[in-house]
Amino acid sequence: MNYINIHTHNSKLREGIVIYNAMNINDIPKAKNNFYISTALHPWYLKPELWFNPLNDYEEIIAQDNIIAIGECGLDLTIKIKPDVQKTVFNKHLQWAEKYNKPVTIHCVKAFNEVIAMKKKANIKQPCIIHGFNNNLTIAKQLLTAGFYLSYGEALLHENSNAAQAIKQTPPERLFLETDESEKSISEIYSKAAELLEMDLELLKKQIEINFNHVFIRE
Ligand SMILES: [Zn+2]
């Protein structure tokens, strides 16, 4: 059974099935067997010149068959870029998800209430995944109740992290794993997740494959 890594910025990773997250729409590699691509306009890079003009370029790229998921996009309320601008752009991505039937991988920092409200208000039916989840149980529960999937990464390896606690309360059918920018391997993150969930590693791999096929491949 394959390891499935739903979010990495390392285009060289080839362990199992990988979704590579391209941050630059002018440099998107070709999807290949077991190597998938996601892209979006990340809230950190919402420069005014990007904002006023080329959102159409983003839509065109995101619509392509090569792109399996829209992300990472979302809200980060700790950065200087105005929340209103971030919300407008994020909302566009949510609309594209519905229009092109693609799941959304979400970057969310100190904006969980807003992200939950926006998904609800826009009546988004496409799967929404909060990537790199490392927040407390209350937030985890709110997100799960609102229908989000949670993807966990390197933070699981730290025994006292929020992620290591929250994963225990995450139903396996709402779970994904990822390496993001970490140097750790996806197999290491799977082993830790299996230990925390007290679940057989092969069963965990099977469950995440079912989730992946359901959310990303649409089988
Ligand atoms: Zn990332």
Side-chain angles (χ1 to χ4, degrees):
M1 190 116 359
N2 273 316
Y3 288 107
I4 302 177
N5 182 357
I6 68 137
H7 185 90
T8 174
H9 298 283
N10 181 349
S11 64
K12 308 258 177 321
L13 280 192
R14 291 293 188 278
E15 188 182 7
I17 296 172
V18 168
I19 301 180
Y20 166 66
N21 186 236
M23 296 288 237
N24 178 356
I25 56 163
N26 299 313
D27 187 22
I28 294 182
K30 276 230 168 326
K32 292 182 208 123
N33 230 358
N34 290 349
F35 180 78
Y36 298 92
I37 318 286
S38 66
T39 198
L41 196 42
H42 193 291
W44 291 351
Y45 305 114
L46 299 183
K47 300 195 184 82
E49 62 272 24
L50 264 175
W51 159 238
F52 284 117
N53 170 22
L55 275 182
N56 291 341
D57 297 350
Y58 272 86
E59 178 168 2
E60 216 171 276
I61 302 262
I62 278 164
Q64 290 172 6
D65 288 344
N66 195 33
I67 304 300
I68 195 177
I70 300 174
E72 55 187 296
C73 53
L75 302 177
D76 183 342
L77 295 186
T78 65
I79 58 174
K80 280 201 181 125
I81 295 160
K82 287 198 178 87
D84 280 357
V85 172
Q86 293 191 45
K87 283 183 186 172
T88 306
V89 175
F90 179 46
N91 200 46
K92 267 264 182 250
H93 287 79
L94 292 175
Q95 302 306 331
W96 291 335
E98 291 297 299
K99 186 170 170 186
Y100 299 109
N101 288 315
K102 296 186 185 197
V104 195
T105 312
I106 298 171
H107 173 96
C108 183
V109 182
K110 299 225 186 294
F112 290 102
N113 287 338
E114 289 81 353
V115 165
I116 290 170
M118 284 175 71
K119 174 180 181 279
K120 198 170 175 195
K121 189 170 175 214
N123 195 19
I124 300 305
K125 300 279 183 267
Q126 294 300 316
C128 292
I129 305 111
I130 301 288
H131 105 84
F133 187 77
N134 188 21
N135 289 84
N136 66 42
L137 281 182
T138 310
I139 296 175
K141 285 193 180 132
Q142 284 169 348
L143 289 164
L144 291 164
T145 304
F148 288 83
Y149 290 76
L150 301 181
S151 177
Y152 294 91
E154 191 188 357
L156 289 182
L157 303 176
H158 308 288
E159 214 60 66
N160 295 321
S161 67
N162 280 321
Q165 298 308 314
I167 194 172
K168 296 178 190 168
Q169 305 295 326
T170 305
E173 64 274 13
R174 295 279 201 88
L175 180 68
F176 286 107
L177 297 170
E178 62 177 62
T179 56
D180 199 8
E181 283 173 324
S182 172
E183 304 278 303
K184 305 286 182 193
S185 67
I186 191 67
S187 49
E188 206 174 327
I189 289 169
Y190 263 74
S191 298
K192 191 66 198 181
E195 185 192 316
L196 289 164
L197 292 164
E198 297 178 29
M199 196 171 174
D200 176 76
L201 178 61
E202 286 308 309
L203 272 181
L204 176 62
K205 287 165 96 175
K206 179 82 209 146
Q207 180 64 55
I208 291 186
E209 187 179 285
I210 292 168
N211 301 350
F212 178 77
N213 287 336
H214 178 65
V215 168
F216 293 97
I217 308 293
R218 306 299 168 87
E219 275 172 353

